[in-house]
Amino acid sequence: MSHSWLQRKRKGELIELAQKAGLPDADGYLKDDLVELLEEHLNSHETTYAKQADFRDYYGRSGSPVKRERASPSEAVTLTKSRRRTLVKAPSEEPTPEKALSAPSTSALVTHTPRALNRRVSEVLSEVDIPASPAQLAEVADHSFQIVKAKTTELWDKTQIDYFKELVRENASSVATIQTLILLIEAAGLQWNTLQTTTTFALSDSVSKYTNSQYLFIPDFLALLTSDWWAPATLWSLTNWVLPLIFSYFFNLTLRSNTNRKSTDRQYPADPLTFNILKAILAYSAYKFPVVDPALTTNPGIVQANDLSWGPFAAETVGIVRNSVPGGYYGLQIGAVVGVLISLYDAALKK
């Protein structure tokens, strides 16, 4: 360094350098003080003395101290040398023809197959949306179930099945509906047995083997113009709903059953209980079976003539009605008893 270069000089040489550098009274300083004084002076006047031959060694050995201070960073940087590693390649044997043929395929199998397989697996997994956890799987299943449930409910609402079901239920839950249903069953049985059918046209062989008939039968509507149909229909109508309806309309006990509160929900235009009681009485009087007196059975020579007619209707007409309605005479009485029980139950619920 420059300091050591000056330190190696003798004091006489230092005095000569000081005189050349223009430092007065150089001989009055000690050697160490003179070295420091020269060093400070030369460092501050580098541009002046760097070109002189006497001071060239001072500046040429380590360069300008000022430049070193300017060039060096404020913080020291530690440089580490890394030793280059030397790889020694092991001597390889010369490949035989068999090894030369099998080596490329083996290396290709080892090198490319796992990479291609991993790439394919990653592509498949990226396309499949796999839930991250069982909780997420349950959430996805519940969401799908809610969507299906909403769609099903929407389709069900569009059919309006619930509306018609409630409408039928509301109208069927009444005494009048039950009584009407009983009368329709009796009327259907009567018409089925009294209204004859007639042939219209022959059926083909392919159709007749399913119908067990070679002709198409329809009701004989011309019979509606004869007394053979009108007489039984009129007798059944009078005894089963016309006379009971008129009588129950005038003798309607439901009109006076609620004197404290006048509410229409407890009143009927015709009393259902009176209707069914009178229906049972008329069925007994018109369609009862003839009874033979046991006292007359011991006298074979005596014949008792029983009049089975009812009012203006002949015994034949009475017999047609008795044998045509479902259940016969007992079916008519059962229908009347059911009507009485329904009427009593309805009256008890409205109390």
Side-chain angles (χ1 to χ4, degrees):
M1 296 178 65
S2 59
H3 182 76
S4 62
W5 183 77
L6 293 174
Q7 192 69 31
R8 288 195 299 269
K9 298 290 184 180
R10 291 180 293 180
K11 186 176 181 181
E13 295 176 351
L14 294 174
I15 293 173
E16 291 179 359
L17 292 174
Q19 291 176 356
K20 292 179 180 181
L23 293 176
D25 300 329
D27 54 348
Y29 292 93
L30 296 176
K31 181 180 179 180
D32 294 333
D33 296 335
L34 185 58
V35 170
E36 292 179 0
L37 182 63
L38 278 172
E39 186 177 5
E40 292 178 2
H41 184 72
L42 293 176
N43 290 336
S44 60
H45 298 84
E46 178 184 1
T47 57
T48 304
Y49 301 106
K51 297 179 181 181
Q52 296 182 11
D54 296 332
F55 301 100
R56 189 173 298 170
D57 293 335
Y58 175 83
Y59 294 103
R61 286 179 175 270
S62 59
S64 173
V66 178
K67 288 184 178 180
R68 289 199 305 269
E69 291 177 0
R70 293 177 180 175
S72 61
S74 59
E75 296 180 1
V77 178
T78 304
L79 299 178
T80 59
K81 292 184 179 180
S82 61
R83 184 178 180 182
R84 181 179 297 177
R85 297 176 60 186
T86 303
L87 299 178
V88 179
K89 185 176 181 181
S92 60
E93 298 179 357
E94 294 183 358
T96 60
E98 295 178 357
K99 292 182 178 180
L101 293 175
S102 61
S105 60
T106 305
S107 62
L109 180 62
V110 174
T111 305
H112 298 286
T113 302
R115 185 177 300 173
L117 181 60
N118 293 334
R119 186 183 301 110
R120 180 58 182 167
V121 171
S122 62
E123 291 177 357
V124 172
L125 292 178
S126 62
E127 294 176 358
V128 179
D129 187 10
I130 301 177
S133 62
Q136 187 176 1
L137 180 61
E139 184 179 356
V140 171
D142 182 69
H143 181 67
S144 302
F145 175 75
Q146 294 298 331
I147 293 176
V148 174
K149 182 180 179 181
K151 293 293 184 181
T152 305
T153 305
E154 183 180 357
L155 293 176
W156 180 263
D157 293 338
K158 289 182 179 180
T159 58
Q160 295 184 349
I161 294 179
D162 290 336
Y163 170 75
F164 291 109
K165 180 187 68 176
E166 294 298 329
L167 181 63
V168 172
R169 181 184 180 186
E170 182 179 359
N171 294 326
S173 302
S174 63
V175 177
T177 303
I178 297 175
Q179 189 65 59
T180 303
L181 181 61
I182 294 174
L183 293 176
L184 288 176
I185 294 174
E186 295 176 356
L190 178 63
Q191 301 307 317
W192 179 265
N193 294 317
T194 57
L195 190 61
Q196 302 298 325
T197 58
T198 182
T199 59
T200 54
F201 55 87
L203 299 175
S204 61
D205 295 337
S206 59
V207 178
S208 60
K209 66 180 180 180
Y210 295 104
T211 59
N212 295 326
S213 177
Q214 296 181 353
Y215 299 95
L216 178 63
F217 293 92
I218 62 173
D220 187 9
F221 294 103
L222 295 177
L224 299 177
L225 303 177
T226 62
S227 61
D228 294 338
W229 183 86
W230 278 105
T234 304
L235 175 61
W236 174 84
S237 298
L238 288 174
T239 57
N240 284 57
W241 67 273
V242 174
L243 294 178
L245 184 62
I246 295 174
F247 192 83
S248 62
Y249 176 79
F250 289 102
F251 296 91
N252 189 356
L253 301 181
T254 61
L255 296 177
R256 303 179 62 85
S257 62
N258 188 17
T259 56
N260 295 329
R261 294 181 300 172
K262 297 296 182 180
S263 58
T264 58
D265 58 342
R266 298 188 180 186
Q267 298 177 358
Y268 289 100
D271 190 351
L273 180 61
T274 306
F275 178 90
N276 287 282
I277 291 175
L278 185 61
K279 178 184 175 182
I281 294 174
L282 292 175
Y284 174 78
S285 64
Y287 309 114
K288 66 180 183 299
F289 289 101
V291 179
V292 179
D293 189 0
L296 299 177
T297 58
T298 57
N299 299 322
I302 301 176
V303 178
Q304 182 181 10
N306 293 323
D307 187 9
L308 300 179
S309 62
W310 189 79
F313 298 96
E316 183 181 0
T317 303
V318 174
I320 292 174
V321 175
R322 183 194 304 115
N323 298 325
S324 298
V325 296
Y329 167 73
Y330 297 106
L332 295 174
Q333 293 293 352
I334 290 173
V337 172
V338 171
V340 170
L341 295 177
I342 293 298
S343 302
L344 293 176
Y345 180 69
D346 180 69
L349 292 177
K350 291 182 177 181
K351 287 295 183 181

